Amino acid sequence: MSSVNVSELRALIDGIRDGTVLPDDAVAQLSRLPFADVGEALVDHHRQLRQGMPEAVYGPGKSPEQCVRIVGELLDHGTGPVLLTRASDDQTKATLAAYGHDHHVEQFGRCILWRSPQPPDLDAPHVVITSAGTADTPVADEAEITLRAHGIRAERLHDIGVAGLHRLLAHVDPITAADAVIVVAGMEGALASVVGGLTSAPVVAVPTSVGYGSSLDGVTALLAMHASCASGVTVVGIDNGFGAAAAVTRMLRR
């Protein structure tokens, strides 16, 4: 079946009822719900049905072989996009060697997306990802490819940190027109407060582990974003571009 969604489940039930799906075939498909055991991992095929978002594969801590098995399970028994995040060079080589030709593949930095959804229509939500500096790009990339996995295209505004506020002020229009904004910033994390004060749209802030001295690997930006004077700014964990994009996806789908 798939990383199951409601329409596919209804189609299966209808198929059994009208005779186009054999009972044994339906049992074989349903036997993989809610998860499939692939050895060291239990692949959650039911997550799309519960959360509206399929399971993503987190690379760190897994062997290349484990990544190949998990990605393969999702591709072989699903129809939706498959996302591998924070892949090492060895994981990237192994998964692309196994599944790099039979499926549409996109790669953003350390993230790989198979079966990217078709571009949304003109009425689809408009999301802007802002990043304070070039060093924040890998986290912004993770956020963008996660949005792409859910059929959301994002506009990127690079290198508009508050050390040169005129760079941000030159891009106020797309920020105020957005349905949601993701702000990626390290150092003191001030960009989140500035953007949060410019727009009424949901703002999700991502502190990054970029910065000198007392930036404390992102802790300073994290605390500053939590203490933002701009009301309603949502903050995710340090370097968590995936989590920011998942949060925005949930907000927009409501």
Side-chain angles (χ1 to χ4, degrees):
M1 177 173 280
S2 73
S3 42
V4 182
N5 61 48
V6 172
S7 62
E8 289 173 333
L9 192 57
R10 287 194 179 117
L12 179 64
I13 294 170
D14 289 342
I16 298 169
R17 181 174 56 203
D18 62 27
T20 58
V21 177
L22 296 175
D24 286 347
D25 292 337
V27 169
Q29 293 182 52
L30 292 171
S31 67
R32 305 196 81 82
L33 299 179
F35 60 84
D37 189 338
V38 295
E40 300 88 349
L42 302 177
V43 178
D44 188 358
H45 286 299
H46 210 223
R47 193 168 303 181
Q48 171 74 30
L49 190 61
R50 298 193 317 271
Q51 297 183 4
M53 296 184 286
E55 179 176 14
V57 184
Y58 178 71
K62 296 180 176 68
S63 69
E65 294 75 20
Q66 288 171 330
C67 289
V68 168
R69 285 197 294 273
I70 296 168
V71 168
E73 171 66 26
L74 291 168
L75 288 171
D76 291 343
H77 300 282
T79 58
V82 176
L83 179 63
L84 171 62
T85 66
R86 306 194 184 186
S88 67
D89 289 342
D90 288 341
Q91 290 168 342
T92 298
K93 291 176 183 176
T95 52
L96 290 181
Y99 309 113
H101 304 290
D102 298 333
H103 308 275
H104 177 62
V105 181
E106 298 182 43
Q107 185 174 359
F108 279 38
R110 296 173 58 198
C111 299
I112 308 168
L113 174 62
W114 288 267
R115 290 198 302 235
S116 174
Q118 293 297 312
D121 57 37
L122 295 177
D123 294 327
H126 175 217
V127 177
V128 171
I129 300 174
T130 66
S131 51
T134 306
D136 300 310
T137 298
V139 177
D141 286 346
E142 183 177 272
E144 181 176 0
I145 198 169
T146 303
L147 290 173
R148 289 176 71 85
H150 299 298
I152 300 171
R153 294 296 187 264
E155 180 179 355
R156 294 280 292 270
L157 299 178
H158 301 276
D159 201 21
I160 57 170
V162 299
L165 194 58
H166 55 290
R167 300 175 301 181
L168 169 62
L169 297 178
H171 295 92
V172 169
D173 288 346
I175 291 173
T176 57
D179 294 301
V181 183
I182 294 175
V183 179
V184 182
M187 302 290 185
E188 82 289 7
L191 182 62
S193 290
V194 177
V195 171
L198 291 173
T199 177
S200 62
V203 175
V204 179
V206 189
T208 70
S209 52
V210 171
Y212 301 108
S214 59
S215 64
L216 303 175
D217 293 326
V219 174
T220 297
L222 174 69
L223 296 177
M225 289 173 172
H226 274 300
S228 173
C229 61
S231 302
V233 172
T234 298
V235 185
V236 298
I238 297 169
D239 292 336
N240 192 6
F242 170 85
V248 165
T249 299
R250 284 179 179 245
M251 292 174 185
L252 295 178
R253 286 186 173 172
R254 298 298 292 179

